[in-house]
Amino acid sequence: MHKQNFKIILSFLLILVSNFILAQKKFTVVLDAGHGGSDHGAYRNYADIGRVAEKDVTLAITLKVGAMLEKNKDFKVIYTRKIDEYPSLSDRTNLANRSKADLFVSIHCNSSQRPTAYGTETYVQGPNQNDTNLEVAKRENDVIYLDEKDKQIFGSYDPTSPESLIALKLQQSKYLESSLLLGGLVEGNFVNRDKRFSRGVFQKNLHVLRMNAMPSVLIETGFINHPEESHYLASEKGQDEISQSIYLAIIDYKKAIDRKSGGNSYATKKVEPEKLAEVPLKNDFRILLMSSPTKYNDGDPALKGLNYILTIKENGQYKYYYSVTNMASVKDINLKTAKDAGFRNAYAVGFMPNQKLSSGYYTLEVYTGDKLNANSFIIQTLKDVERNKENGVFYYTYGKVYTLEDAVKLQKEIEAKGIKNTVIQKVYK
Ligand SMILES: [Zn+2]
């Protein structure tokens, strides 16, 4: 063989190999232009520029973000739509799940009854204590929610078992932290680069966020019904600025994730053999976030965006526990998640499963405050509610059970009847 030819073939092979390695490491982003086809989304007609329809604005911005990402060889871009058509919400999330995307970004425009409302906001998956949502998610998505590592840990379990539900919850809480990161970057860019007004990052229970097995955000890029903002949304300048801000946020997000993980969080990691053989612990472990005399409901900023919190009142103090597991590796992840969220002093507490209290019982604190009227929903719904009074404040409790598991069960039962934000209370005799 001619020496020159050999060199050419060798360099060609090298390019092939390096392209293969690069292809392995691509970060897949699903871009979802909201609405489309017969679904116009929000729209307004203006005398000077005619109709501004959400479906057109979202598509224009999405295509611009995609074009910028596609120039970067670290990224693979998948669009839920590139033309004026309407994929269903399930089509959109199924596509994202099937393609094992690393990130899902849904782009929308807002509208409000109040004509003065304006600004941007970004949504991440909302407080999801509601187990019916998890049940639906589990039924419809089944194992797709489990990544490779969790499948190794939980795969041998019956999918209807509590352990699988815990895995599912764990997955969702992992996505939440990353989704919040991207949401903050997007809104930060809108404010700092584009001088927009940001309404903030919020949690909301939306299909495209709930059903995705990856970090996901939904960006409301501005209000269609606000005349000034609508003109901005419809303009080339506005669409360029918005898409650049979203693009740069995605770039920074990937950098942050790479830094955290040493560069391959989104690639499937090899599972070490000892992980496969991990034996469940005797105790359940919950992460104690804090004790406080104040009661915080789901979604309260004091809980720093964490879900799956169990509150137990003991001696007048509310103790906030995050997640539950009987796997040592998962316990460590949960503790890290809690610390990363800002609970620096969090630690793991062991609970013996189904342990009966010997010198007391559990009851549910269903209400504190003013005296309840006999026609009130709580009194009407729960016949055997008990009334107590302490320091001039009334508090109402319901039920008497002897294990924490029974207390959680009782809490779910009355939640299904519409009585939310109850607290399990430990009473000593
Ligand atoms: Zn929309």
Side-chain angles (χ1 to χ4, degrees), residues 74-258:
D74 293 340
F75 290 91
K76 179 180 170 191
V77 183
I78 294 173
Y79 301 86
T80 57
R81 69 181 180 100
K82 285 187 94 169
I83 55 168
D84 185 18
E85 62 180 359
Y86 180 78
S88 74
L89 298 181
S90 304
D91 289 342
R92 297 171 200 243
T93 52
N94 287 344
L95 174 68
N97 289 335
R98 265 201 319 274
S99 52
K100 297 194 167 31
D102 299 295
L103 193 59
F104 182 94
V105 179
S106 188
I107 294 170
H108 284 252
C109 304
N110 226 329
S111 74
S112 168
Q113 308 279 41
R114 288 190 306 118
T116 52
Y118 74 103
T120 65
E121 50 195 29
T122 296
Y123 287 99
V124 300
Q125 171 55 24
N128 205 351
Q129 289 283 61
N130 191 344
D131 268 359
T132 44
N133 282 332
L134 274 168
E135 287 300 327
V136 170
K138 199 169 59 148
R139 198 168 55 238
E140 295 189 6
N141 290 41
D142 205 7
V143 293
I144 210 158
Y145 265 88
L146 306 180
D147 69 16
E148 286 307 318
K149 190 173 152 208
D150 289 332
K151 253 189 233 163
Q152 298 290 355
I153 298 173
F154 298 99
S156 58
Y157 286 90
D158 169 8
T160 60
S161 73
E163 287 83 358
S164 292
L165 197 63
I166 290 162
L168 191 60
K169 288 181 172 188
L170 171 71
Q171 277 287 325
Q172 294 198 337
S173 69
K174 275 194 285 187
Y175 302 143
L176 176 68
E177 316 300 332
S178 307
S179 307
L180 285 169
L181 170 68
L182 178 63
L185 290 168
V186 169
E187 291 299 318
N189 282 350
F190 286 153
V191 171
N192 298 320
R193 291 174 41 87
D194 308 336
K195 309 296 167 220
R196 307 279 308 277
F197 169 65
S198 167
R199 300 157 62 95
V201 180
F202 303 100
Q203 289 181 274
K204 205 173 190 178
N205 200 0
L206 299 170
H207 177 102
V208 292
L209 302 176
R210 183 176 69 246
M211 292 311 222
N212 274 337
M214 75 237 31
S216 304
V217 299
L218 186 148
I219 305 167
E220 298 280 8
T221 53
F223 282 78
I224 288 274
N225 61 307
H226 186 277
E228 204 180 307
E229 207 160 57
S230 200
H231 280 68
Y232 177 77
L233 289 172
S235 71
E236 195 72 29
K237 174 181 180 278
Q239 292 173 0
D240 280 342
E241 286 183 1
I242 292 168
S243 53
Q244 276 203 22
S245 282
I246 295 172
Y247 164 74
L248 290 171
I250 294 172
I251 298 289
D252 285 344
Y253 169 85
K254 182 178 175 294
K255 277 188 202 153
I257 296 288
D258 287 351

